[in-house]
Amino acid sequence: VWRFDSCHRLNSVIARRTKGFPMAVKKVALLTAGGFAPCLSTAISGLIQRYTEVAPEVEIIAYKHGYEGLLKGDFIEVTDTVRKNAEILKRFGGSPIGNSRVKLTNAADLVKRGLVAEGDDPLKVAADRLVSDGVDVLHTIGGDDTNTTAADLAAYLAEHDYGLTVVGLPKTIDNDVIPIRQSLGAWTAAEQGSRFAQNIVGEHNSGSRMLIVHEVMGRNCGWLTAATAAKYREWLDTQEWVPEIGLSKEAWDVHAVYVPEAHLDLEAEAERLNKVMDEIGNVTIFLSEGAGLDAIIEEMEKAGQEVPRDPFGHVKLDKVNPGAWFGKQFAEKLGAEKVMVQKSGYFSRSAASNEADLELIGRCTDLAVDCALAGRAGVIGQDEENGDELTNIAFDRIKGGKPFDVTQPWFTDMLSEIGQA
């Protein structure tokens, strides 16, 4: 995504700035970017509260709609009233300052969207805007795309001696950022996906030979799908059942969990699930939206269809619709008389943070502010390559696409319990 020499220069500049006394921080800017996750509003709250606690003299602004607002110079001032009421933000999901998907190195897309002029270097436009707005520290809150974009910007700032510090926070419900153990908001998303399923799976008796496909977000990583299924099955274990009238745990259970990291033998699974359908009368599948994506893309390209992609080059999964594709494949093979495909993504990702995430986000935002005031750049997270230490991880170590480890006992035990090889 960016060059090693830029990384080296960035780290050299950071090292020079942190020798002795760091530069005084007078103004900081916040932005949230990418898709929503159940941590954004909480993280904004945490940053505001921490600055108010340890450095109340520091001005705070928030760019509206992520990097789009940065390029346009569109921001909100964090007033004394906002500081006083920052705790309220933790009660809500989404992001009060707004998000967008903007890649600062994709000049053609930014020109098309009217965010930069033809011939402009978007990184320079962003850097100059930060200087014009008097910003000393930029806090980015987002996933791997947001933080690799932050890395591009941080490298540019360092290479051209702008003297700004960028400190990122890892947001993604996929929990797939290398080398971060737990991304902010992922625990909440799994819990909310379970709540979604508790109602959706209740539809299993709305028709005979019912097939339910619960599509969970996760383009390249199956962690969220697996964790959602595990949380849902934890809920099942707390319930009482009356099988004599048809209220059985077997019918409400998950019968298959498909993630991108595990091979899916469609024919073998169809044979297994046919037996479940014959015995119980319904089948419920938890499907990661990225599972089997290659097969879907191949089918589209063979048919001469254009595969829609976003500015980062990712396939637009809402256009490809993996859940519907799998629903069609299995419906034919299982002889399903009714098929229901439901997606929990937007329900899950826009939720307010749960207790576990509130605690983790609080520790991360506190450290993010401390690092910013000390002039230490990086992405705040539990560094699983260094004993899960919570620290500021150098931008050049941040990557997306961390695979879910399908050999973990909690996952393999769950598959064994539902009869899936």
Side-chain angles (χ1 to χ4, degrees):
V1 176
W2 57 317
R3 302 188 312 277
F4 171 82
D5 58 344
S6 294
C7 299
H8 180 71
R9 281 192 288 272
L10 169 61
N11 292 333
S12 297
V13 170
I14 293 168
R16 292 198 301 271
R17 287 190 57 197
T18 54
K19 280 185 177 181
F21 296 99
M23 295 176 62
V25 175
K26 296 180 180 179
K27 181 184 282 189
V28 303
L30 321 176
L31 67 79
T32 56
F36 279 169
C39 66
L40 298 177
S41 194
T42 297
I44 293 167
S45 171
L47 290 170
I48 293 172
Q49 288 181 310
R50 182 63 172 175
Y51 274 111
T52 301
E53 176 188 357
V54 302
E57 73 283 359
V58 173
E59 295 180 57
I60 306 173
I61 63 172
Y63 287 109
K64 296 173 66 175
H65 301 290
Y67 292 111
E68 176 182 321
L70 172 56
L71 291 171
K72 294 164 64 175
D74 186 10
F75 61 81
I76 302 168
E77 292 185 9
V78 176
T79 63
D80 289 341
T81 300
V82 174
R83 290 174 186 263
K84 180 180 177 181
N85 293 289
E87 182 70 21
I88 295 173
L89 300 181
K90 296 177 182 177
R91 305 174 193 169
F92 292 86
S95 171
I97 61 177
N99 283 33
S100 66
R101 293 189 182 277
V102 170
K103 187 174 179 66
L104 293 180
T105 54
N106 189 342
D109 177 67
L110 298 179
V111 169
K112 182 179 178 181
R113 295 162 68 171
L115 296 177
V116 299
E118 187 74 46
D120 281 349
D121 180 349
L123 289 170
K124 186 177 189 305
V125 173
D128 288 345
R129 175 62 65 182
L130 289 167
V131 172
S132 175
D133 292 338
V135 173
D136 302 302
V137 174
L138 175 64
H139 287 284
T140 60
I141 312 167
D144 59 294
D145 286 334
T146 298
N147 284 307
T148 52
T149 295
D152 292 331
L153 179 57
Y156 185 91
L157 293 168
E159 187 173 355
H160 296 84
D161 294 321
Y162 277 80
L164 279 80
T165 302
V166 182
V167 181
L169 287 166
K171 167 241 63 167
T172 170
I173 59 178
D174 295 350
N175 196 29
D176 65 344
V177 179
I178 298 170
I180 293 171
R181 171 67 62 186
Q182 188 68 33
S183 297
L184 309 184
W187 281 326
T188 303
E191 181 179 88
Q192 291 294 317
S194 167
R195 288 187 59 192
F196 180 90
Q198 289 164 28
N199 284 4
I200 294 304
V201 178
E203 292 279 338
H204 70 269
N205 268 338
S206 64
S208 58
R209 296 190 73 83
M210 178 74 167
L211 171 63
I212 296 175
V213 178
H214 175 195
E215 183 181 320
V216 182
M217 282 187 169
R219 178 185 301 276
N220 299 309
C221 178
W223 181 91
L224 181 60
T225 302
T228 300
K231 291 296 292 184
Y232 174 76
R233 298 189 80 243
E234 285 179 17
W235 173 78
L236 287 182
D237 288 338
T238 68
Q239 305 306 305
E240 296 181 295
W241 307 97
V242 189
E244 294 81 1
I245 193 64
L247 183 64
S248 73
K249 182 179 179 181
E250 291 75 17
W252 280 77
D253 208 346
V254 180
H255 305 115
V257 180
Y258 301 136
V259 297
E261 295 84 354
H263 173 69
L264 171 59
D265 186 330
L266 199 63
E267 296 302 325
E269 276 297 279
E271 183 178 351
R272 179 180 73 84
L273 293 176
N274 241 319
K275 296 175 182 176
V276 175
M277 183 72 85
D278 291 342
E279 181 180 346
I280 298 174
N282 65 280
V283 165
T284 295
I285 296 171
F286 276 42
L287 170 75
S288 175
E289 62 184 356
L293 186 59
D294 291 343
I296 300 173
I297 293 173
E298 182 180 355
E299 184 178 283
M300 291 180 66
E301 290 176 339
K302 283 184 178 179
Q305 300 176 9
E306 181 181 354
V307 179
R309 298 180 184 274
D310 68 16
F312 291 88
H314 301 317
V315 174
K316 292 184 176 180
L317 294 171
D318 59 330
K319 304 296 184 184
V320 173
N321 210 343
W325 188 86
F326 271 95
K328 179 181 178 181
Q329 303 300 314
F330 276 110
E332 295 174 354
K333 297 177 184 301
L334 303 183
E337 295 184 11
K338 186 175 181 180
V339 181
M340 185 171 71
V341 178
Q342 292 291 309
K343 305 179 181 183
S344 62
Y346 292 109
F347 179 89
S348 298
R349 77 179 200 169
S350 296
S353 307
N354 67 9
E355 289 299 321
D357 268 317
L358 283 170
E359 191 276 334
L360 177 60
I361 295 166
R363 289 194 289 132
C364 288
T365 52
D366 282 357
L367 182 57
V369 172
D370 295 347
C371 286
L373 293 174
R376 301 200 307 269
V379 179
I380 306 300
Q382 299 160 307
D383 187 349
E384 58 185 355
E385 295 175 2
N386 289 292
D388 290 342
E389 177 188 3
L390 185 64
T391 186
N392 58 316
I393 302 169
F395 277 109
D396 57 342
R397 295 181 56 215
I398 299 296
K399 301 175 184 176
K402 179 176 72 175
F404 169 57
D405 181 1
V406 295
T407 67
Q408 295 177 84
W410 68 266
F411 181 64
T412 57
D413 289 349
M414 178 172 65
L415 295 189
S416 178
E417 289 171 5
I418 65 177
Q420 183 178 338

